[in-house]
Amino acid sequence: MAVIIHTKGDLTLFTIKNYVVVKDLEEAYVLNQKRSNVVLGGIAWLKMGERNIQNAIDLSGLGLDKIEETEEGFEIGSMVTLRELETNTALNSYFNGVIAKSTEHIVGVQFRNCATVGGSIFSRFGFSDILTCLLALDAYVELYKGGVIPLREFADMPKDNDILVKVIIKKDRREVSYLTHRRTATDIPVIACTVARVNHKWQVVLGARPSKAKLLLDKEQMLSNNPTEEEINKFIEYIKENIQFGSNMRASAEFRKHLAGVLCKRGIKEITERKGL
Ligand SMILES: Cc1cc2nc3c(=O)[nH]c(=O)nc-3n(C[C@H](O)[C@H](O)[C@H](O)COP(=O)(O)OP(=O)(O)OC[C@H]3O[C@@H](n4cnc5c(N)ncnc54)[C@H](O)[C@@H]3O)c2cc1C
């Protein structure tokens, strides 16, 4: 029997013909090869569309809703909600708590209790806070068929019909800062910026440009470990020349470019001025 989701008066947002709670990842993968079938995350994004779904693929019986800490890092199942990412104490005791920081402006707590890591990372939205944050960490995705690949590689891959099983983040001693500019506290970002210092080298990720988050490594070591104002200004010019910004209803390319410089400088200073490091 068809399941019709009505969430706005009489407006039908999407229709599901069969709802399949899969017994394993192979079943999910096989079903997902058909265009009319769809994997469900928290359906926070899917419900905004008007798709006719033949088989809705529910992964909730596969134990993918856990964050597991290992010696080397964290393994985050694709069905973990954004709220769990935000509130997980072990995870947020690392990376200067930036994972929580990258989730806290996303709509509201009830929304974050539904939206999942799998839906967020697999979608690779241009405005994604989560992708902007995780790209600055030593992060990987585990795909059912594609295996474990660096998130940096996955971010630039075209979308296919694989299943995102988990996100893996390796523990290291990198220091990180996450900042965004938004028109209102819970709107999508006008620009998002993650700065990281790892082994005395710097890197910056800029998201919501408005296109997909882009990583820039300070390969030429323009920034020293504790950079001077002059070094920072030079690096910001380098960013502005090497990263593309665009215009949309939220902001112009020029404004985004300016904000990128401001947030990048603040991020670097936040890291160098932290006490007790
Ligand atoms: C109104 C609104 C405001 C938002 N604001 C922000 C914001 O400010 N910042 C931000 O970062 N994000 C924002 N988001 C995005 C949100 O955080 C989630 O990323 C989004 O809802 C997708 O997650 P989901 O679990 O709801 O996925 P779903 O809607 O269930 O699925 C999204 C897509 O991912 C696919 N998918 C889901 N799980 C898997 C899997 N395991 N393997 C393969 N494919 C999968 C689905 O088939 C579908 O194509 C916003 C979303 C909405 C609707």
Short mmCIF file of all heavy atoms in Angstrom, two decimals, residues 155-181:
data_model
loop_
_atom_site.label_atom_id
_atom_site.label_comp_id
_atom_site.label_asym_id
_atom_site.label_seq_id
_atom_site.Cartn_x
_atom_site.Cartn_y
_atom_site.Cartn_z
N ALA A 155 34.19 13.94 -1.68
CA ALA A 155 33.49 15.23 -1.86
C ALA A 155 33.44 15.63 -3.34
O ALA A 155 32.49 16.26 -3.77
CB ALA A 155 34.17 16.31 -1.03
N ASP A 156 34.46 15.25 -4.10
CA ASP A 156 34.52 15.66 -5.51
C ASP A 156 34.02 14.59 -6.48
O ASP A 156 34.06 14.78 -7.69
CB ASP A 156 35.96 16.05 -5.88
CG ASP A 156 36.34 17.36 -5.22
OD1 ASP A 156 35.43 18.20 -5.01
OD2 ASP A 156 37.53 17.55 -4.90
N MET A 157 33.59 13.45 -5.94
CA MET A 157 33.10 12.38 -6.82
C MET A 157 31.66 12.67 -7.26
O MET A 157 30.89 13.24 -6.49
CB MET A 157 33.12 11.04 -6.07
CG MET A 157 34.47 10.36 -6.07
SD MET A 157 34.58 9.03 -4.84
CE MET A 157 33.13 8.06 -5.15
N PRO A 158 31.29 12.27 -8.48
CA PRO A 158 29.88 12.42 -8.86
C PRO A 158 29.02 11.48 -8.02
O PRO A 158 29.50 10.44 -7.57
CB PRO A 158 29.87 12.00 -10.34
CG PRO A 158 31.13 11.26 -10.56
CD PRO A 158 32.12 11.67 -9.52
N LYS A 159 27.76 11.86 -7.80
CA LYS A 159 26.88 11.00 -6.99
C LYS A 159 26.60 9.70 -7.72
O LYS A 159 26.37 9.70 -8.93
CB LYS A 159 25.56 11.73 -6.74
CG LYS A 159 25.67 12.61 -5.53
CD LYS A 159 24.33 13.12 -5.10
CE LYS A 159 24.57 14.36 -4.27
NZ LYS A 159 23.49 15.30 -4.31
N ASP A 160 26.67 8.58 -7.00
CA ASP A 160 26.33 7.29 -7.60
C ASP A 160 25.30 6.60 -6.71
O ASP A 160 24.68 7.25 -5.87
CB ASP A 160 27.60 6.45 -7.81
CG ASP A 160 28.31 6.16 -6.49
OD1 ASP A 160 27.70 6.42 -5.42
OD2 ASP A 160 29.44 5.67 -6.51
N ASN A 161 25.15 5.29 -6.89
CA ASN A 161 24.11 4.58 -6.12
C ASN A 161 24.69 3.71 -5.02
O ASN A 161 24.12 2.70 -4.65
CB ASN A 161 23.29 3.70 -7.06
CG ASN A 161 22.53 4.53 -8.05
OD1 ASN A 161 22.27 5.71 -7.79
ND2 ASN A 161 22.19 3.95 -9.18
N ASP A 162 25.84 4.10 -4.51
CA ASP A 162 26.43 3.34 -3.40
C ASP A 162 25.70 3.70 -2.10
O ASP A 162 24.86 4.59 -2.07
CB ASP A 162 27.95 3.67 -3.29
CG ASP A 162 28.75 2.47 -2.79
OD1 ASP A 162 28.16 1.62 -2.10
OD2 ASP A 162 29.96 2.41 -3.05
N ILE A 163 26.05 2.99 -1.04
CA ILE A 163 25.46 3.27 0.28
C ILE A 163 26.58 3.77 1.18
O ILE A 163 27.64 3.13 1.28
CB ILE A 163 24.87 1.97 0.92
CG1 ILE A 163 23.90 1.25 -0.03
CG2 ILE A 163 24.23 2.28 2.27
CD1 ILE A 163 22.55 1.86 -0.15
N LEU A 164 26.34 4.89 1.82
CA LEU A 164 27.31 5.40 2.79
C LEU A 164 27.10 4.65 4.10
O LEU A 164 26.00 4.71 4.67
CB LEU A 164 27.12 6.91 2.97
CG LEU A 164 28.04 7.59 3.97
CD1 LEU A 164 29.49 7.51 3.52
CD2 LEU A 164 27.67 9.03 4.15
N VAL A 165 28.11 3.93 4.54
CA VAL A 165 27.95 3.09 5.73
C VAL A 165 28.38 3.87 6.98
O VAL A 165 27.68 3.91 7.98
CB VAL A 165 28.79 1.80 5.60
CG1 VAL A 165 28.59 0.90 6.82
CG2 VAL A 165 28.42 1.06 4.33
N LYS A 166 29.55 4.47 6.92
CA LYS A 166 30.01 5.25 8.08
C LYS A 166 31.01 6.33 7.69
O LYS A 166 31.55 6.30 6.57
CB LYS A 166 30.59 4.35 9.17
CG LYS A 166 31.72 3.45 8.74
CD LYS A 166 32.32 2.70 9.92
CE LYS A 166 31.69 1.36 10.18
NZ LYS A 166 32.63 0.36 10.72
N VAL A 167 31.23 7.24 8.60
CA VAL A 167 32.27 8.25 8.45
C VAL A 167 33.31 7.94 9.52
O VAL A 167 32.96 7.64 10.67
CB VAL A 167 31.68 9.67 8.66
CG1 VAL A 167 32.79 10.71 8.73
CG2 VAL A 167 30.70 10.02 7.54
N ILE A 168 34.57 7.97 9.12
CA ILE A 168 35.65 7.65 10.05
C ILE A 168 36.51 8.91 10.23
O ILE A 168 36.90 9.54 9.23
CB ILE A 168 36.52 6.50 9.49
CG1 ILE A 168 35.65 5.25 9.30
CG2 ILE A 168 37.72 6.20 10.40
CD1 ILE A 168 36.23 4.24 8.33
N ILE A 169 36.76 9.27 11.46
CA ILE A 169 37.63 10.43 11.71
C ILE A 169 38.82 9.96 12.55
O ILE A 169 38.64 9.37 13.63
CB ILE A 169 36.89 11.55 12.47
CG1 ILE A 169 35.59 11.92 11.74
CG2 ILE A 169 37.79 12.79 12.60
CD1 ILE A 169 34.73 12.91 12.48
N LYS A 170 40.02 10.18 12.02
CA LYS A 170 41.23 9.76 12.74
C LYS A 170 41.58 10.82 13.79
O LYS A 170 41.50 12.02 13.52
CB LYS A 170 42.39 9.60 11.75
CG LYS A 170 42.17 8.50 10.72
CD LYS A 170 42.70 7.17 11.25
CE LYS A 170 42.30 6.00 10.38
NZ LYS A 170 42.98 5.92 9.10
N LYS A 171 42.01 10.31 14.95
CA LYS A 171 42.45 11.24 16.00
C LYS A 171 43.85 11.72 15.66
O LYS A 171 44.71 10.89 15.33
CB LYS A 171 42.53 10.51 17.35
CG LYS A 171 41.20 10.15 17.96
CD LYS A 171 41.47 9.34 19.22
CE LYS A 171 40.19 8.78 19.79
NZ LYS A 171 40.42 7.76 20.81
N ASP A 172 44.07 12.98 15.70
CA ASP A 172 45.44 13.48 15.64
C ASP A 172 45.46 14.78 16.45
O ASP A 172 44.46 15.17 17.03
CB ASP A 172 45.95 13.67 14.20
CG ASP A 172 45.09 14.60 13.37
OD1 ASP A 172 44.33 15.38 13.96
OD2 ASP A 172 45.20 14.57 12.13
N ARG A 173 46.61 15.42 16.47
CA ARG A 173 46.72 16.56 17.37
C ARG A 173 46.44 17.89 16.66
O ARG A 173 46.90 18.93 17.08
CB ARG A 173 48.11 16.58 18.02
CG ARG A 173 48.35 15.34 18.87
CD ARG A 173 49.72 15.36 19.48
NE ARG A 173 49.89 16.47 20.41
CZ ARG A 173 49.49 16.48 21.66
NH1 ARG A 173 48.88 15.43 22.15
NH2 ARG A 173 49.71 17.51 22.44
N ARG A 174 45.66 17.81 15.57
CA ARG A 174 45.41 19.06 14.85
C ARG A 174 44.55 20.00 15.70
O ARG A 174 43.72 19.57 16.51
CB ARG A 174 44.81 18.82 13.48
CG ARG A 174 43.37 18.46 13.40
CD ARG A 174 43.00 18.15 11.96
NE ARG A 174 43.82 17.10 11.39
CZ ARG A 174 44.02 16.89 10.10
NH1 ARG A 174 43.45 17.67 9.21
NH2 ARG A 174 44.75 15.90 9.66
N GLU A 175 44.78 21.27 15.49
CA GLU A 175 43.98 22.29 16.19
C GLU A 175 43.07 22.91 15.14
O GLU A 175 43.50 23.22 14.04
CB GLU A 175 44.89 23.35 16.79
CG GLU A 175 45.85 22.78 17.82
CD GLU A 175 47.15 23.54 17.77
OE1 GLU A 175 47.17 24.72 18.12
OE2 GLU A 175 48.15 22.95 17.33
N VAL A 176 41.81 23.10 15.53
CA VAL A 176 40.81 23.47 14.53
C VAL A 176 39.92 24.61 15.03
O VAL A 176 39.69 24.76 16.23
CB VAL A 176 39.91 22.25 14.18
CG1 VAL A 176 39.25 22.44 12.83
CG2 VAL A 176 40.67 20.94 14.20
N SER A 177 39.46 25.40 14.09
CA SER A 177 38.49 26.45 14.42
C SER A 177 37.39 26.43 13.35
O SER A 177 37.68 26.24 12.17
CB SER A 177 39.21 27.80 14.40
OG SER A 177 38.29 28.83 14.18
N TYR A 178 36.14 26.59 13.77
CA TYR A 178 35.03 26.60 12.81
C TYR A 178 34.19 27.87 12.99
O TYR A 178 33.73 28.16 14.09
CB TYR A 178 34.12 25.37 13.01
CG TYR A 178 33.04 25.30 11.96
CD1 TYR A 178 33.34 24.89 10.67
CD2 TYR A 178 31.74 25.72 12.24
CE1 TYR A 178 32.38 24.87 9.68
CE2 TYR A 178 30.77 25.71 11.26
CZ TYR A 178 31.10 25.28 9.98
OH TYR A 178 30.14 25.28 8.99
N LEU A 179 34.01 28.61 11.91
CA LEU A 179 33.25 29.86 11.97
C LEU A 179 32.34 29.98 10.75
O LEU A 179 32.71 29.53 9.66
CB LEU A 179 34.22 31.06 11.97
CG LEU A 179 35.16 31.18 13.16
CD1 LEU A 179 36.31 32.12 12.83
CD2 LEU A 179 34.42 31.67 14.39
N THR A 180 31.17 30.60 10.95
CA THR A 180 30.30 30.87 9.80
C THR A 180 29.75 32.28 9.91
O THR A 180 29.73 32.87 10.99
CB THR A 180 29.07 29.92 9.74
OG1 THR A 180 28.27 30.11 10.92
CG2 THR A 180 29.48 28.48 9.61
N HIS A 181 29.26 32.77 8.79
CA HIS A 181 28.46 33.99 8.81
C HIS A 181 27.10 33.61 8.25
O HIS A 181 27.01 32.97 7.20
CB HIS A 181 29.10 35.08 7.95
CG HIS A 181 28.25 36.31 7.90
ND1 HIS A 181 28.27 37.26 8.89
CD2 HIS A 181 27.33 36.73 7.00
CE1 HIS A 181 27.40 38.21 8.60
NE2 HIS A 181 26.82 37.92 7.46
#
